[in-house]
Amino acid sequence: MTHVLSPRQRWLPTSGECRTIAAMQSQQPTALVPDAFAHFGDLLRYLRRRAQLTQRELSIAVGYNFAQISRLESGQRLPDPAIVAAVFIPALDLEEQPAWTARLIELAVQAARQAGRKGVFATPSAAQTAQA
């Protein structure tokens, strides 16, 4: 049976509904901090979305193919810490956010170190190729 309330009546939740409402209010998202991220790709995806950029838009801003951004976010491509610092930080508008900047670069360095221990090496950047 559906009850229709007149404009003067108020809806009052039952005790069970009160508990549900209270539980929903307590599940508000908590603020994320840079240290909450353990993988470069997860942090890159978060920061890209926070900047309201698509993978294609970020790829254009940093001079990558959008598939390369996808591979970075999924951990299938190794980040180059120097390129992250020089190109990704400005593209994600992080110059005034040192904690996020430091964490993104730290995770890029960490990913490169872990890959080196496993015998996996990133393809050389254009700058490294030009120096050779």
Side-chain angles (χ1 to χ4, degrees):
M1 172 185 277
T2 305
H3 297 290
V4 178
L5 299 176
S6 72
R8 296 183 127 181
Q9 293 176 315
R10 281 186 334 154
W11 171 76
L12 296 174
T14 64
S15 62
E17 291 170 329
C18 286
R19 282 191 293 269
T20 303
I21 292 169
M24 288 171 50
Q25 290 172 344
S26 69
Q27 293 176 357
Q28 295 297 320
T30 57
L32 287 175
V33 294
D35 290 336
F37 294 90
H39 301 341
F40 175 82
D42 294 335
L43 180 55
L44 178 61
R45 180 180 295 115
Y46 169 77
L47 292 171
R48 174 181 59 78
R49 288 177 176 169
R50 191 179 78 163
Q52 298 180 341
L53 296 171
T54 64
Q55 288 179 339
R56 186 170 301 278
E57 290 167 336
L58 179 59
S59 71
I60 291 168
V62 300
Y64 276 25
N65 181 298
F66 78 94
Q68 292 172 305
I69 301 297
S70 177
R71 285 190 216 106
L72 282 169
E73 289 182 356
S74 65
Q76 296 174 353
R77 179 184 171 93
L78 294 176
D80 180 333
I83 292 176
V84 169
V87 182
F88 281 78
I89 299 304
L92 294 167
D93 199 25
L94 297 175
E95 297 94 342
E96 303 293 323
Q97 300 177 44
W100 289 105
T101 297
R103 185 63 178 161
L104 189 63
I105 294 169
E106 177 186 351
L107 290 175
V109 169
Q110 194 177 84
R113 281 189 194 141
Q114 289 174 349
R117 276 189 241 132
K118 294 178 185 176
V120 178
F121 298 98
T123 56
S125 67
Q128 292 168 332
T129 306
Q131 290 176 355

